[in-house]
Amino acid sequence: TAMGNWTRINEFILMSFSSLPTEIQSLLFLTFLTVYLVTLLGNSLIILVTLADPMLHSPMYFFLRNLSFLEIGFNLVIVPKMLGTLLAQDTTISFLGCATQMYFFFFFGVAECFLLATMAYDRYVAICSPLHYPVIMNQRTRAKLAAASWFPGFPVATVQTTWLFSFPFCGTNKVNHFFCDSPPVLRLVCADTALFEIYAIVGTILVVMVPCLLILCSYTLIAAAILKIPSAKGKHKAFSTCSSHLLVVSFFYISSSLTYFRPKSNNSPDSKKLLSLSYTVVTPMLNPIIYSLRNSEVKNALSRTFHRVLALRNCIL
Protein backbone atom coordinates (compact mmCIF):
# COMPACT_ATOMS: atom_id res chain seq x y z
CA THR A 1 0.00 0.00 0.00
CA ALA A 2 1.27 3.46 -0.87
CA MET A 3 2.10 5.85 1.93
CA GLY A 4 3.05 9.14 0.27
CA ASN A 5 6.32 8.48 -1.50
CA TRP A 6 6.93 5.32 0.56
CA THR A 7 5.61 1.80 0.08
CA ARG A 8 4.74 -0.27 3.10
CA ILE A 9 6.56 -3.59 2.76
CA ASN A 10 4.84 -6.59 4.35
CA GLU A 11 7.33 -9.17 3.13
CA PHE A 12 10.80 -9.46 1.66
CA ILE A 13 12.18 -11.65 -1.11
CA LEU A 14 15.47 -13.39 -0.34
CA MET A 15 17.44 -13.47 -3.60
CA SER A 16 19.65 -16.22 -2.13
CA PHE A 17 21.26 -18.10 -5.05
CA SER A 18 18.45 -17.46 -7.55
CA SER A 19 20.89 -16.17 -10.18
CA LEU A 20 22.46 -19.63 -10.44
CA PRO A 21 21.14 -22.37 -12.79
CA THR A 22 18.58 -24.81 -11.32
CA GLU A 23 21.06 -27.71 -11.49
CA ILE A 24 23.60 -25.78 -9.40
CA GLN A 25 20.89 -24.82 -6.90
CA SER A 26 19.92 -28.50 -6.54
CA LEU A 27 23.57 -29.41 -5.92
CA LEU A 28 23.84 -26.60 -3.33
CA PHE A 29 20.68 -27.89 -1.62
CA LEU A 30 22.14 -31.39 -1.23
CA THR A 31 25.48 -29.97 -0.05
CA PHE A 32 23.94 -27.61 2.53
CA LEU A 33 21.47 -30.26 3.71
CA THR A 34 24.38 -32.66 4.34
CA VAL A 35 26.37 -29.96 6.16
CA TYR A 36 23.27 -29.02 8.20
CA LEU A 37 22.62 -32.61 9.31
CA VAL A 38 26.31 -33.15 10.15
CA THR A 39 26.26 -29.90 12.17
CA LEU A 40 23.18 -30.90 14.16
CA LEU A 41 24.46 -34.43 14.74
CA GLY A 42 28.02 -33.35 15.65
CA ASN A 43 27.04 -30.61 18.06
CA SER A 44 24.28 -32.73 19.63
CA LEU A 45 26.83 -35.52 20.20
CA ILE A 46 29.22 -33.06 21.87
CA ILE A 47 26.41 -31.91 24.21
CA LEU A 48 25.27 -35.44 25.05
CA VAL A 49 28.77 -36.89 25.54
CA THR A 50 30.01 -34.00 27.71
CA LEU A 51 26.89 -34.37 29.86
CA ALA A 52 26.93 -38.18 30.05
CA ASP A 53 30.64 -38.81 30.63
CA PRO A 54 31.89 -37.90 34.15
CA MET A 55 35.44 -37.51 32.76
CA LEU A 56 34.23 -34.50 30.73
CA HIS A 57 32.61 -32.55 33.57
CA SER A 58 35.45 -30.00 33.62
CA PRO A 59 35.03 -26.26 32.87
CA MET A 60 36.59 -26.67 29.40
CA TYR A 61 33.83 -29.07 28.32
CA PHE A 62 31.15 -27.01 30.05
CA PHE A 63 32.07 -24.09 27.75
CA LEU A 64 32.36 -26.42 24.76
CA ARG A 65 28.81 -27.59 25.47
CA ASN A 66 27.67 -23.95 25.48
CA LEU A 67 29.41 -23.42 22.14
CA SER A 68 27.59 -26.41 20.65
CA PHE A 69 24.24 -25.01 21.87
CA LEU A 70 25.11 -21.72 20.17
CA GLU A 71 26.08 -23.42 16.91
CA ILE A 72 22.82 -25.39 16.79
CA GLY A 73 20.83 -22.18 17.39
CA PHE A 74 22.87 -20.28 14.80
CA ASN A 75 22.15 -22.97 12.19
CA LEU A 76 18.42 -23.25 13.01
CA VAL A 77 18.01 -19.49 12.46
CA ILE A 78 19.54 -19.46 8.96
CA VAL A 79 19.85 -22.84 7.23
CA PRO A 80 16.23 -24.21 7.15
CA LYS A 81 14.98 -21.08 5.34
CA MET A 82 17.97 -21.19 2.96
CA LEU A 83 17.21 -24.85 2.16
CA GLY A 84 13.58 -23.87 1.50
CA THR A 85 14.61 -21.20 -1.00
CA LEU A 86 16.81 -23.71 -2.83
CA LEU A 87 14.38 -26.65 -2.86
CA ALA A 88 10.91 -25.11 -3.14
CA GLN A 89 11.98 -21.69 -4.47
CA ASP A 90 10.04 -20.23 -1.51
CA THR A 91 11.99 -16.99 -1.44
CA THR A 92 9.51 -14.85 0.48
CA ILE A 93 9.92 -14.05 4.16
CA SER A 94 7.48 -11.92 6.16
CA PHE A 95 8.48 -8.56 7.63
CA LEU A 96 8.30 -10.04 11.15
CA GLY A 97 10.08 -13.21 10.02
CA CYS A 98 12.94 -11.18 8.57
CA ALA A 99 13.25 -9.12 11.76
CA THR A 100 13.17 -12.28 13.91
CA GLN A 101 15.84 -13.97 11.80
CA MET A 102 18.08 -10.90 12.03
CA TYR A 103 17.52 -10.62 15.80
CA PHE A 104 18.61 -14.18 16.53
CA PHE A 105 21.48 -13.98 14.03
CA PHE A 106 22.89 -11.02 16.00
CA PHE A 107 22.12 -12.66 19.34
CA PHE A 108 23.91 -15.93 18.58
CA GLY A 109 26.76 -14.19 16.72
CA VAL A 110 27.52 -11.78 19.58
CA ALA A 111 27.22 -14.56 22.16
CA GLU A 112 29.69 -16.69 20.20
CA CYS A 113 32.25 -13.86 20.08
CA PHE A 114 32.18 -13.50 23.87
CA LEU A 115 32.02 -17.25 24.53
CA LEU A 116 35.18 -17.81 22.46
CA ALA A 117 36.90 -15.15 24.60
CA THR A 118 35.66 -16.91 27.77
CA MET A 119 37.05 -20.22 26.47
CA ALA A 120 40.42 -18.54 25.88
CA TYR A 121 40.41 -17.27 29.48
CA ASP A 122 39.61 -20.80 30.66
CA ARG A 123 42.66 -22.15 28.77
CA TYR A 124 44.79 -19.33 30.23
CA VAL A 125 43.84 -20.27 33.82
CA ALA A 126 44.32 -24.00 33.10
CA ILE A 127 47.86 -23.52 31.74
CA CYS A 128 49.13 -20.55 33.74
CA SER A 129 47.58 -21.50 37.12
CA PRO A 130 47.02 -25.28 36.94
CA LEU A 131 47.09 -25.82 40.72
CA HIS A 132 44.44 -23.12 41.34
CA TYR A 133 42.37 -23.99 38.25
CA PRO A 134 39.67 -26.07 40.04
CA VAL A 135 39.23 -23.32 42.65
CA ILE A 136 39.21 -20.38 40.21
CA MET A 137 36.94 -22.09 37.65
CA ASN A 138 34.44 -23.53 40.12
CA GLN A 139 30.83 -24.22 39.15
CA ARG A 140 29.57 -20.82 40.23
CA THR A 141 32.31 -18.93 38.33
CA ARG A 142 31.85 -20.90 35.12
CA ALA A 143 28.07 -20.35 35.26
CA LYS A 144 28.63 -16.59 35.69
CA LEU A 145 31.13 -16.53 32.79
CA ALA A 146 28.70 -18.43 30.55
CA ALA A 147 25.86 -16.03 31.46
CA ALA A 148 28.17 -13.05 30.81
CA SER A 149 28.94 -14.51 27.37
CA TRP A 150 25.30 -15.00 26.42
CA PHE A 151 23.94 -11.72 27.84
CA PRO A 152 25.52 -9.11 25.45
CA GLY A 153 23.63 -10.66 22.57
CA PHE A 154 20.28 -9.41 23.95
CA PRO A 155 20.92 -5.61 23.99
CA VAL A 156 22.93 -5.65 20.74
CA ALA A 157 20.30 -7.67 18.86
CA THR A 158 17.40 -5.67 20.36
CA VAL A 159 18.80 -2.21 19.55
CA GLN A 160 20.15 -3.07 16.08
CA THR A 161 17.06 -4.97 14.89
CA THR A 162 14.46 -2.61 16.38
CA TRP A 163 16.23 0.48 15.03
CA LEU A 164 16.72 -0.93 11.53
CA PHE A 165 13.14 -2.17 11.15
CA SER A 166 11.71 1.13 12.39
CA PHE A 167 12.97 2.80 9.19
CA PRO A 168 10.62 3.20 6.20
CA PHE A 169 11.26 0.85 3.25
CA CYS A 170 10.48 1.75 -0.34
CA GLY A 171 10.91 0.50 -3.87
CA THR A 172 12.18 -3.05 -4.16
CA ASN A 173 11.75 -5.59 -1.37
CA LYS A 174 14.45 -7.90 -2.72
CA VAL A 175 17.19 -8.73 -0.17
CA ASN A 176 20.32 -9.75 -2.08
CA HIS A 177 21.37 -12.42 0.41
CA PHE A 178 20.35 -15.89 1.66
CA PHE A 179 19.20 -14.51 5.04
CA CYS A 180 18.17 -11.17 6.55
CA ASP A 181 21.55 -9.69 7.35
CA SER A 182 21.82 -6.01 8.26
CA PRO A 183 23.77 -4.57 5.23
CA PRO A 184 21.50 -5.93 2.43
CA VAL A 185 18.31 -5.01 4.34
CA LEU A 186 19.71 -1.54 5.09
CA ARG A 187 20.06 -0.90 1.33
CA LEU A 188 16.25 -1.03 1.02
CA VAL A 189 15.69 1.79 3.54
CA CYS A 190 14.31 5.14 2.32
CA ALA A 191 15.71 7.44 4.99
CA ASP A 192 18.94 8.90 6.27
CA THR A 193 20.73 5.98 7.92
CA ALA A 194 24.06 7.73 8.67
CA LEU A 195 23.59 7.60 12.47
CA PHE A 196 22.55 3.95 12.35
CA GLU A 197 25.57 3.07 10.19
CA ILE A 198 27.92 4.77 12.67
CA TYR A 199 26.28 2.82 15.51
CA ALA A 200 26.52 -0.43 13.52
CA ILE A 201 30.23 0.05 12.75
CA VAL A 202 31.08 1.03 16.35
CA GLY A 203 28.99 -1.84 17.69
CA THR A 204 30.63 -4.35 15.35
CA ILE A 205 34.11 -3.13 16.28
CA LEU A 206 33.33 -3.46 20.00
CA VAL A 207 31.64 -6.84 19.66
CA VAL A 208 34.34 -8.33 17.44
CA MET A 209 37.48 -6.54 18.62
CA VAL A 210 36.99 -6.59 22.41
CA PRO A 211 36.67 -10.41 22.58
CA CYS A 212 39.42 -10.71 19.95
CA LEU A 213 41.80 -8.61 22.09
CA LEU A 214 40.93 -10.70 25.16
CA ILE A 215 41.73 -13.85 23.16
CA LEU A 216 45.04 -12.39 21.95
CA CYS A 217 46.00 -11.36 25.50
CA SER A 218 45.12 -14.82 26.84
CA TYR A 219 47.14 -16.62 24.18
CA THR A 220 50.11 -14.26 24.54
CA LEU A 221 50.27 -15.17 28.24
CA ILE A 222 49.67 -18.86 27.40
CA ALA A 223 52.52 -18.83 24.84
CA ALA A 224 54.87 -17.24 27.41
CA ALA A 225 53.91 -19.91 29.97
CA ILE A 226 54.37 -22.76 27.45
CA LEU A 227 57.85 -21.52 26.49
CA LYS A 228 58.88 -21.78 30.16
CA ILE A 229 57.97 -25.50 30.32
CA PRO A 230 61.29 -27.39 30.26
CA SER A 231 60.24 -30.65 28.56
CA ALA A 232 59.17 -30.92 24.91
CA LYS A 233 56.44 -33.38 25.93
CA GLY A 234 55.04 -30.87 28.44
CA LYS A 235 55.05 -28.12 25.83
CA HIS A 236 53.23 -30.36 23.33
CA LYS A 237 50.59 -31.37 25.90
CA ALA A 238 49.99 -27.73 26.91
CA PHE A 239 49.72 -26.60 23.30
CA SER A 240 47.40 -29.47 22.33
CA THR A 241 44.81 -28.29 24.88
CA CYS A 242 44.65 -24.93 23.08
CA SER A 243 45.05 -25.92 19.42
CA SER A 244 41.38 -26.89 18.87
CA HIS A 245 40.14 -23.60 20.32
CA LEU A 246 42.67 -21.64 18.25
CA LEU A 247 41.45 -23.30 15.04
CA VAL A 248 37.81 -22.54 15.86
CA VAL A 249 38.63 -18.91 16.71
CA SER A 250 40.63 -18.51 13.48
CA PHE A 251 37.83 -19.84 11.26
CA PHE A 252 35.18 -17.69 12.94
CA TYR A 253 37.07 -14.40 13.22
CA ILE A 254 38.80 -14.43 9.84
CA SER A 255 35.58 -15.07 7.88
CA SER A 256 33.40 -12.67 9.91
CA SER A 257 36.05 -9.91 9.88
CA LEU A 258 36.47 -10.18 6.11
CA THR A 259 32.69 -9.85 5.76
CA TYR A 260 32.16 -6.78 7.95
CA PHE A 261 35.46 -4.87 7.75
CA ARG A 262 36.29 -4.99 4.04
CA PRO A 263 36.29 -1.79 1.93
CA LYS A 264 32.99 -1.20 0.16
CA SER A 265 34.70 -1.34 -3.25
CA ASN A 266 35.47 -5.01 -2.66
CA ASN A 267 32.20 -5.79 -0.94
CA SER A 268 30.33 -7.49 -3.83
CA PRO A 269 27.11 -9.31 -2.87
CA ASP A 270 28.33 -12.66 -4.28
CA SER A 271 31.64 -12.62 -2.40
CA LYS A 272 29.82 -11.56 0.76
CA LYS A 273 27.45 -14.54 0.39
CA LEU A 274 30.42 -16.90 0.12
CA LEU A 275 32.10 -15.41 3.20
CA SER A 276 28.81 -15.48 5.12
CA LEU A 277 28.45 -19.19 4.27
CA SER A 278 31.83 -19.86 5.88
CA TYR A 279 30.84 -18.64 9.36
CA THR A 280 27.08 -19.34 9.30
CA VAL A 281 27.14 -22.83 7.73
CA VAL A 282 30.67 -24.28 7.52
CA THR A 283 32.21 -23.20 10.86
CA PRO A 284 29.37 -24.62 13.02
CA MET A 285 29.95 -27.98 11.28
CA LEU A 286 33.74 -27.84 11.74
CA ASN A 287 33.68 -27.05 15.48
CA PRO A 288 32.60 -30.51 16.72
CA ILE A 289 34.84 -32.19 14.13
CA ILE A 290 37.87 -30.16 15.26
CA TYR A 291 37.19 -30.81 18.93
CA SER A 292 36.58 -34.57 18.38
CA LEU A 293 39.44 -35.33 16.00
CA ARG A 294 42.05 -33.24 17.82
CA ASN A 295 41.04 -34.19 21.35
CA SER A 296 41.80 -37.66 22.72
CA GLU A 297 39.53 -37.10 25.76
CA VAL A 298 36.50 -36.46 23.53
CA LYS A 299 37.36 -39.43 21.29
CA ASN A 300 37.69 -41.72 24.32
CA ALA A 301 34.44 -40.38 25.78
CA LEU A 302 32.64 -40.99 22.46
CA SER A 303 33.99 -44.55 22.45
CA ARG A 304 32.90 -45.15 26.06
CA THR A 305 29.43 -43.74 25.40
CA PHE A 306 29.07 -45.83 22.23
CA HIS A 307 30.02 -49.02 24.10
CA ARG A 308 27.61 -48.16 26.96
CA VAL A 309 24.77 -47.68 24.47
CA LEU A 310 25.60 -51.00 22.79
CA ALA A 311 25.72 -52.79 26.15
CA LEU A 312 22.36 -51.26 27.15
CA ARG A 313 20.85 -52.29 23.81
CA ASN A 314 22.08 -55.88 24.26
CA CYS A 315 20.59 -55.98 27.77
CA ILE A 316 17.20 -54.79 26.49
CA LEU A 317 17.26 -57.30 23.64
Side-chain angles (χ1 to χ4, degrees):
T1 57
M3 294 176 64
N5 293 327
W6 297 339
T7 303
R8 183 177 177 179
I9 290 177
N10 296 316
E11 65 179 21
F12 293 96
I13 297 171
L14 294 171
M15 297 300 288
S16 192
F17 304 98
S18 56
S19 60
L20 297 173
T22 308
E23 298 79 10
I24 301 295
Q25 289 191 54
S26 300
L27 183 62
L28 285 176
F29 171 80
L30 291 173
T31 303
F32 294 148
L33 178 62
T34 304
V35 170
Y36 179 57
L37 294 175
V38 170
T39 301
L40 292 183
L41 178 62
N43 283 291
S44 297
L45 271 175
I46 291 287
I47 292 168
L48 292 172
V49 169
T50 54
L51 280 171
D53 198 298
M55 298 292 287
L56 300 185
H57 286 180
S58 67
M60 175 181 172
Y61 297 107
F62 169 78
F63 293 124
L64 177 57
R65 191 160 57 247
N66 272 263
L67 182 63
S68 289
F69 271 116
L70 275 175
E71 299 296 25
I72 289 172
F74 209 61
N75 253 230
L76 287 172
V77 167
I78 293 167
V79 181
K81 181 60 184 174
M82 181 176 67
L83 292 174
T85 62
L86 288 168
L87 179 67
Q89 300 297 307
D90 179 21
T91 57
T92 60
I93 184 169
S94 68
F95 188 90
L96 180 61
C98 189
T100 303
Q101 189 182 52
M102 186 183 292
Y103 179 91
F104 284 105
F105 166 73
F106 281 127
F107 169 70
F108 287 120
V110 171
E112 183 159 346
C113 284
F114 283 95
L115 185 61
L116 289 172
T118 300
M119 293 172 79
Y121 173 71
D122 172 68
R123 292 299 81 211
Y124 156 72
V125 177
I127 290 170
C128 297
S129 303
L131 297 176
H132 299 103
Y133 179 62
V135 178
I136 296 172
M137 299 300 291
N138 58 55
Q139 281 193 332
R140 190 172 180 178
T141 302
R142 72 181 84 157
K144 285 181 178 178
L145 286 170
S149 300
W150 285 78
F151 177 75
F154 287 109
V156 172
T158 301
V159 173
Q160 185 125 336
T161 307
T162 306
W163 192 352
L164 177 51
F165 281 87
S166 67
F167 284 121
F169 293 88
C170 63
T172 181
N173 63 341
K174 293 179 179 178
V175 178
N176 195 3
H177 211 348
F178 57 85
F179 72 99
C180 287
D181 196 5
S182 178
V185 172
L186 188 64
R187 293 192 190 102
L188 309 180
V189 170
C190 303
D192 182 8
T193 59
L195 191 61
F196 174 83
E197 289 178 57
I198 292 168
Y199 159 79
I201 291 169
V202 172
T204 304
I205 290 171
L206 289 174
V207 163
V208 173
M209 296 309 295
V210 169
C212 193
L213 287 172
L214 291 172
I215 291 167
L216 285 173
C217 288
S218 295
Y219 276 106
T220 301
L221 294 168
I222 287 169
I226 290 174
L227 289 173
K228 291 176 183 176
I229 297 173
S231 68
K233 187 179 179 180
K235 286 179 181 177
H236 176 73
K237 186 179 178 181
F239 179 74
S240 66
T241 65
C242 305
S243 57
S244 298
H245 181 252
L246 271 174
L247 275 173
V248 169
V249 167
S250 301
F251 279 124
F252 181 78
Y253 274 100
I254 289 171
S255 56
S256 57
S257 296
L258 285 172
T259 302
Y260 290 100
F261 291 115
R262 290 183 307 154
K264 282 189 176 179
S265 57
N266 299 325
N267 207 7
S268 72
D270 290 337
S271 62
K272 179 161 183 174
K273 285 178 194 176
L274 288 172
L275 281 168
S276 297
L277 279 172
S278 64
Y279 66 86
T280 58
V281 179
V282 179
T283 302
M285 177 194 70
L286 290 176
N287 287 356
I289 294 172
I290 289 168
Y291 275 104
S292 340
L293 295 180
R294 297 183 61 86
N295 191 311
S296 59
E297 287 182 339
V298 174
K299 283 190 282 188
N300 293 335
L302 282 167
S303 177
R304 286 193 297 270
T305 304
F306 179 70
H307 284 110
R308 277 201 297 268
V309 170
L310 278 181
L312 183 63
R313 179 175 173 271
N314 291 333
C315 287
I316 293 170
L317 294 174

